[in-house]
């Protein structure tokens, strides 16, 4: 039976909301149409009854009334005949005859219009009494004309008047019956109207009940499934993508439920994809920094160890062999680290491996000591011993390590990671393969952080100083220019060595600020020297960061215009390594600087890896031999041969050659004999500032 019902439901498509609603509203429409048509039908019926009443009943009533009146009139006319002379009676006979004929016509009309049996019987009696009355009436009229008024009066009293009274009584009876019939018909119409009203009320109540039932059924078949759909959607919104909407017997709701289930499944898949992208490294499949922090943050435990390692020379690998090779090296390193961690045999919990960024990896160890960290470090180092095979290339792997550990007092994970980063950078600065975090490193790091803020303040408050070291011609011994050197006299720390803050400024990107300050100081100084020392020049060192700034030539041009200084009085010194970092871009920028009218010098020549093919394309006018080639050159024949080759190469390219760091007469003489053009160093003069500089300038020849 249930199967048959299900088949019937399926056949009639009753599981569809649209079909149910159509049937429901169709039934309600039929019901209310009936409720509407019933009063209309009743009104029509009452209208028909009214027409019938007007046409027959009322007409019959009028006929009966007229019959009674006509009969009375005829009786009165007969009485009048009995009292007036003959001459007056003759004209009235015609009128009375017409009234009698009218009575006959009324009786005939009544006989044709009546349908009630009792009325027909009454009418039959009325006709009989009318016939008796009419016979007595005619006999009395004849007797009046033949025997006179007295005999007629006696007949009238004896025969006519009783017959007339009987006829009138029968007319009244007939009239009363007709009135009763009319009242009965009206009562019947009223009952039918009341019955129709009751039926309409019953049907209306039935319609309300049916509407309530249909509403309840709709609520049961639609609203409740929709509520379950809403609950499922809210569960999905809360992140429960495993929730599923159970099938519904309502087709539309079932389709929406299926769509919701499909959406939950798709969102779950996308959520897993997004979560993997958010928490796992796409190249190695290892957890990333975000997952490391999410998993372990707030779980600061004692004796936690952290190893931060970075692949050395990754930038060189990427630039030389391509990023694909670099990615292959990183993937291979990740596999090796996985094997080391998976083979961890300590009783402590398994270390947690993650890739942070670039070639950086991290290992978090619980219940660790320095000994266990070092042991793990050695096993990792051993795993990195074999080169990585990348196609036809074989890449040696070298890792730099930073170690940090917590004592009995737990540290937040972020602090532990920061400590390992400080140790890693300390190892890189000291060119060591590894370093443990120490409080001294933290103090140094904090010092550098405060140094950055102080350096910005020093530029604004002119705490920096520009010292000048003279350059002399080896042929004439005369000074022709200076090299500008920056010094910092800190108001609290005192003198800070350039070796401390200049490299720091380069790493943090603030070297450009220092360069522009030095350039402006040099230009202002040259402007002041125009009258007294017009042949002197000042050379300012330019960093690699400045050579990457496309607006650098425009900034120098703006300063020269501001102070109205000729560009040939200003020189720029560029390091060889700075040029070779990006030769194409650097040569383009140097050509722009040369187009301004500035002289360019290659500083520290011989310490970098410059190519002769690039060297001949550089728009420079001077080579500066590094002091490492100058020290004790008079005692080193091999160095003399190398320096002589550099000097001859420079001259061959049309460049002047200057040597820096000359501290003895023997060094100076050796360089002069080798053909070097100029010198710079303590033998000529230390860097000068203030009164010392002014005194030295005053000693210059005035020819």
């Amino acid at each position: 039976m249930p199967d048959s019902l299900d088949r019937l439901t399926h056949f009639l498509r009753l599981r569809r909301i649209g079909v149910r609603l159509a049937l429901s509203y169709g039934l309600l429409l039929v019901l209310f149409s009936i409720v509407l048509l019933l009063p209309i039908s009743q009104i029509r019926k009452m209208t028909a009854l009214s027409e019938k009443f007007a046409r027959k009943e009322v007409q019959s009533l009028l006929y009966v009334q007229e019959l009674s009146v006509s009969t009375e009139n005829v009786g009165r006319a007969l009485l009048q005949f009995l009292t007036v002379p003959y001459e007056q009676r003759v004209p009235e006979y015609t009128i009375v005859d017409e009234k009698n004929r009218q009575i006959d016509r009324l009786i005939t009309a009544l006989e044709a219009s009546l349908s009630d049996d009792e009325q027909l019987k009454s009418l039959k009696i009325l006709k009989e009494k009318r016939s008796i009355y009419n016979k007595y009436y005619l006999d009395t009229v004849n007797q009046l004309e033949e025997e006179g008024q007295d005999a007629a009066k006696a007949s009238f009293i004896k025969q006519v008047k009783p017959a007339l009274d009987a006829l009138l009584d029968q007319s009244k009876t007939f009239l009363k019956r007709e009135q009763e019939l009319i009242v009965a018909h009206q009562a019947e119409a009223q009952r039918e109207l009341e019955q129709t009203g009751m039926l309409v009320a019953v049907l209306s109540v039935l319609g309300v009940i049916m509407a309530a039932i249909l509403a309840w059924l709709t609520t049961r078949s639609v609203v409740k499934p929709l509520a379950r759909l809403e609950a499922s959607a809210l569960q999905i919104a809360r992140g429960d993508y495993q929730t599923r909407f159970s099938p519904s017997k309502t087709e539309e709701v079932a389709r929406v439920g299926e769509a919701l289930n499909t959406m939950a499944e798709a969102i779950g898949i996308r959520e897993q994809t997004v979560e993997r992208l958010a928490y796992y490294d796409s190249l190695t499949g290892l957890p990333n920094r975000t997952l490391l922090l999410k998993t372990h943050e707030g779980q600061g435990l004692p004796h936690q160890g952290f190893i931060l390692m970075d692949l050395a020379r990754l930038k060189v690998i990427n630039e030389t062999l391509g990023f694909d090779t670099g990615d292959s090296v990183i993937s291979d390193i990740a596999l090796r680290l996985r094997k080391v961690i998976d083979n961890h045999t300590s009783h402590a919990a398994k270390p947690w491996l993650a890739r942070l960024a670039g070639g950086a990896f991290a290992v978090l160890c619980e219940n660790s000591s320095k000994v266990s960290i070092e042991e793990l470090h050695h096993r990792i180092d051993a795993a990195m011993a074999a080169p990585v095979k990348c196609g036809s290339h074989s890449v040696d792997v070298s890792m730099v390590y930073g170690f940090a550990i917590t004592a009995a007092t737990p540290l937040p994970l972020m602090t532990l990671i920061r400590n390992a980063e400080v140790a890693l950078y300390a190892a890189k600065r000291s060119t060591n393969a590894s370093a443990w975090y120490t409080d001294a490193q933290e103090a140094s790091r904090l010092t550098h952080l405060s140094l950055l803020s102080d350096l910005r303040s020093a530029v604004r408050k002119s705490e920096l100083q520009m010292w000048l070291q003279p350059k002399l011609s080896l042929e004439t011994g005369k000074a022709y220019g200076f090299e500008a050197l920056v010094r910092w006299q800190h108001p609290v720390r005192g003198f800070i060595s350039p070796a401390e803050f200049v490299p720091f400024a380069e790493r943090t990107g603030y070297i450009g600020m220092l360069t522009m300050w030095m350039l402006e100081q040099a230009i202002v100084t040259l402007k002041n020297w125009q009258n007294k020392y017009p042949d002197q020049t000042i050379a300012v060192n330019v960093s690699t960061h400045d050579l990457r700034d496309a607006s650098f030539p425009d900034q120098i041009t703006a300063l020269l215009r501001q102070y109205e200084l000729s560009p040939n009085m200003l020189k720029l010194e560029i390091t060889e390594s700075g040029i070779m970092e990006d030769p194409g871009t650097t040569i383009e920028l140097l050509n722009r600087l040369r187009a301004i009218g500035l002289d360019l010098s290659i500083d520290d020549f011989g310490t970098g890896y410059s190519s002769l093919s690039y060297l001949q394309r550089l728009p420079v006018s001077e080579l500066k031999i590094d002091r490492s080639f100058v020290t004790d050159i008079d005692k080193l024949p091999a160095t003399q041969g190398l320096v002589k080759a550099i000097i001859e190469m420079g001259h061959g390219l049309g460049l002047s050659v200057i040597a820096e760091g000359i501290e003895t007469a023997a060094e100076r003489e050796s360089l002069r004999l080798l053909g070097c053009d100029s010198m710079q160093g303590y033998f000529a003069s230390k860097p000068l500032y203030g009164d010392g500089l002014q005194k030295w300038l005053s000693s210059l020849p005035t020819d």
Side-chain angles (χ1 to χ4, degrees):
M1 184 66 181
D3 293 339
S4 300
L5 185 61
D6 286 343
R7 284 197 297 272
L8 179 62
T9 302
H10 180 73
F11 176 75
L12 296 176
R13 308 189 77 177
L14 294 178
R15 291 181 177 175
R16 298 188 61 180
I17 296 176
V19 174
R20 293 183 185 182
L21 291 177
L23 289 175
S24 301
Y25 288 115
L27 288 174
L28 288 176
L29 182 62
V30 170
L31 186 62
F32 284 109
S33 297
I34 293 173
V35 171
L36 181 64
L37 290 175
L38 273 176
I40 295 175
S41 175
Q42 186 63 28
I43 290 172
R44 282 183 151 183
K45 184 176 180 181
M46 291 184 68
T47 302
L49 289 174
S50 298
E51 290 178 358
K52 178 182 178 182
F53 177 78
R55 188 173 60 252
K56 296 181 67 176
E57 302 294 339
V58 175
Q59 187 65 39
S60 298
L61 180 64
L62 292 175
Y63 286 165
V64 173
Q65 289 178 342
E66 187 176 354
L67 177 63
S68 299
V69 172
S70 297
T71 302
E72 289 180 355
N73 289 337
V74 170
R76 284 195 295 271
L78 182 59
L79 287 174
Q80 189 176 1
F81 289 163
L82 296 176
T83 57
V84 297
Y86 176 78
E87 293 80 7
Q88 295 180 356
R89 292 198 303 271
V90 173
E92 293 295 330
Y93 283 147
T94 304
I95 296 172
V96 172
D97 289 342
E98 179 60 30
K99 289 182 178 181
N100 284 324
R101 286 193 294 274
Q102 178 67 24
I103 291 171
D104 293 336
R105 285 196 298 271
L106 289 173
I107 291 173
T108 303
L110 280 172
E111 191 174 15
S113 63
L114 292 178
S115 58
D116 183 68
D117 292 340
E118 292 187 6
Q119 284 292 79
L120 289 174
K121 290 180 181 179
S122 297
L123 181 62
K124 184 178 180 181
I125 296 172
L126 182 66
K127 286 174 65 178
E128 292 174 353
K129 293 186 179 294
R130 160 67 182 164
S131 178
I132 294 171
Y133 168 74
N134 193 45
K135 177 179 179 302
Y136 288 149
Y137 170 76
L138 292 175
D139 291 343
T140 303
V141 169
N142 292 330
Q143 190 177 11
L144 174 64
E145 296 299 330
E146 294 175 358
E147 298 179 9
Q149 291 180 341
D150 292 334
K153 287 180 181 179
S155 295
F156 178 81
I157 294 170
K158 183 178 179 180
Q159 294 179 344
V160 174
K161 189 173 184 309
L164 179 61
D165 290 340
L167 178 61
L168 290 175
D169 289 341
Q170 186 62 33
S171 296
K172 290 179 180 179
T173 301
F174 191 84
L175 177 62
K176 182 178 180 182
R177 175 61 184 169
E178 190 64 30
Q179 289 175 342
E180 289 176 351
L181 286 175
I182 291 174
V183 171
H185 288 159
Q186 289 178 340
E188 182 181 359
Q190 182 65 30
R191 283 194 303 274
E192 289 182 0
L193 182 61
E194 290 177 355
Q195 289 174 355
T196 302
M198 181 63 68
L199 181 60
V200 169
V202 170
L203 290 176
S204 298
V205 171
L206 181 62
V208 171
I209 294 173
M210 185 177 293
I213 293 172
L214 291 175
W216 178 77
L217 291 174
T218 302
T219 301
R220 183 178 178 182
S221 62
V222 178
V223 176
K224 287 185 177 180
L226 289 179
R228 289 194 291 116
L229 279 174
E230 181 185 10
S232 299
L234 290 175
Q235 283 183 288
I236 294 173
R238 287 191 291 268
D240 181 9
Y241 304 120
Q242 301 303 317
T243 184
R244 292 294 182 267
F245 179 76
S246 56
S248 173
K249 292 184 179 180
T250 305
E251 287 188 14
E252 291 87 346
V253 177
R255 288 201 299 270
V256 174
E258 290 175 3
L260 189 65
N261 292 338
T262 303
M263 181 186 71
E265 184 177 356
I267 292 176
I269 294 172
R270 284 196 294 271
E271 181 80 6
Q272 291 175 358
T273 303
V274 171
E275 183 175 356
R276 183 154 192 87
L277 291 174
Y279 295 125
Y280 291 88
D281 176 55
S282 58
L283 178 61
T284 63
L286 292 175
N288 59 15
R289 184 188 187 98
T290 304
L291 185 56
L292 173 67
L293 293 174
K294 180 182 178 183
T295 306
H296 299 283
E297 186 61 29
Q299 299 179 10
L301 299 173
H303 308 297
Q304 275 188 324
F306 198 85
I307 303 176
L308 183 62
M309 62 197 89
D310 192 19
L311 174 61
R313 299 182 296 109
L314 177 60
K315 182 177 180 182
V316 176
I317 294 172
N318 287 332
E319 292 177 350
T320 306
L321 303 177
F323 285 94
D324 290 342
T325 302
D327 289 345
S328 297
V329 172
I330 291 172
S331 298
D332 191 87
I333 290 174
L335 289 175
R336 298 183 188 190
L337 289 172
R338 278 183 185 273
K339 290 181 179 178
V340 172
I341 299 302
D342 290 340
N343 294 331
H344 184 68
T345 57
S346 174
H347 295 294
K350 183 179 177 181
W352 218 85
L353 175 63
R355 184 195 175 196
L356 302 187
F361 295 85
V363 178
L364 177 64
C365 306
E366 296 182 2
N367 298 324
S368 299
S369 63
K370 282 193 173 184
V371 174
S372 62
I373 295 293
E374 290 285 1
E375 180 186 351
L376 181 58
H377 163 228
H378 292 318
R379 290 197 290 118
I380 292 174
D381 235 9
M384 302 299 163
V388 177
K389 298 292 183 180
C390 300
S392 59
H393 303 288
S394 180
V395 180
D396 290 327
V397 176
S398 176
M399 305 292 286
V400 183
Y401 302 86
F403 309 120
I405 195 168
T406 59
T409 303
L411 289 176
L413 180 58
M414 283 298 297
T415 303
L416 192 60
I417 294 175
R418 184 199 64 189
N419 292 347
E421 287 176 346
V422 171
L424 177 66
Y425 292 132
K428 289 182 177 181
R429 284 196 302 271
S430 61
T431 65
N432 292 325
S434 63
W436 279 92
Y437 170 78
T438 63
D439 292 338
Q441 294 167 352
E442 178 72 5
S444 175
R445 188 176 67 88
L446 294 175
T447 299
H448 279 84
L449 286 175
S450 63
L451 192 66
L452 176 61
S453 177
D454 291 348
L455 182 59
R456 297 170 61 184
S457 177
V459 174
R460 291 196 305 268
K461 298 178 180 179
S462 297
E463 293 175 2
L464 301 177
Q465 299 172 353
M466 184 181 72
W467 289 59
L468 299 176
Q469 187 172 32
K471 298 179 179 180
L472 280 66
S473 170
L474 285 173
E475 182 178 354
T476 64
K478 292 183 178 180
Y480 67 90
F482 299 84
E483 179 184 1
L485 304 170
V486 65
R487 299 291 185 266
W488 185 3
Q489 189 66 34
H490 196 282
V492 177
R493 301 180 186 179
F495 177 76
I496 300 177
S497 170
E500 183 177 356
F501 72 85
V502 171
F504 176 71
E506 288 180 343
R507 289 197 304 271
T508 57
Y510 280 88
I511 190 66
M513 176 180 63
L514 285 179
T515 302
M516 294 310 298
W517 185 87
M518 288 291 288
L519 283 169
E520 185 169 9
Q521 294 299 311
I523 290 173
V524 170
T525 301
L526 289 170
K527 181 69 176 177
N528 295 333
W529 286 357
Q530 276 187 327
N531 295 327
K532 291 185 178 181
Y533 317 108
D535 298 329
Q536 299 298 319
T537 62
I538 296 179
V540 177
N541 290 283
V542 176
S543 72
T544 304
H545 179 276
D546 299 318
L547 297 178
R548 291 196 296 263
D549 185 359
S551 66
F552 184 58
D554 297 330
Q555 296 180 52
I556 296 178
T557 301
L559 283 175
L560 292 171
R561 287 177 180 173
Q562 179 181 350
Y563 293 100
E564 299 178 351
L565 183 72
S566 175
N568 58 9
M569 300 181 68
L570 182 66
K571 289 188 176 184
L572 301 180
E573 293 189 3
I574 302 101
T575 61
E576 184 183 5
S577 58
I579 296 173
M580 295 311 299
E581 188 168 296
D582 186 1
T585 304
T586 302
I587 290 173
E588 180 183 350
L589 187 135
L590 293 178
N591 282 319
R592 289 175 59 193
L593 292 171
R594 190 72 185 90
I596 296 172
L598 301 171
D599 283 333
L600 306 178
S601 175
I602 300 179
D603 195 11
D604 300 334
F605 186 79
T607 60
Y609 304 93
S610 59
S611 169
L612 293 179
S613 62
Y614 281 116
L615 185 60
Q616 64 181 350
R617 293 169 52 193
L618 296 176
V620 297
S621 57
E622 183 180 69
L623 285 183
K624 198 169 189 180
I625 301 174
D626 187 69
R627 64 180 301 169
S628 61
F629 296 97
V630 173
T631 303
D632 295 332
I633 190 173
D634 55 305
K635 304 173 185 177
L636 302 171
T639 303
Q640 292 175 19
L642 180 59
V643 171
K644 183 175 178 59
I646 294 174
I647 293 171
E648 289 177 353
M649 179 187 66
H651 289 164
L653 293 172
L655 309 176
S656 64
V657 181
I658 180 173
E660 63 177 345
I662 297 176
E663 298 184 356
T664 66
E667 292 172 350
R668 180 195 66 177
E669 186 62 20
S670 295
L671 287 164
R672 187 184 68 79
L673 293 174
L674 291 173
C676 188
D677 300 307
S678 307
M679 63 167 285
Q680 180 183 341
Y682 279 14
F683 183 76
S685 174
K686 293 182 178 181
L688 303 170
Y689 177 75
D691 294 340
L693 173 62
Q694 188 58 47
K695 183 178 179 181
W696 197 90
L697 288 170
S698 299
S699 67
L700 293 176
T702 58
D703 52 19

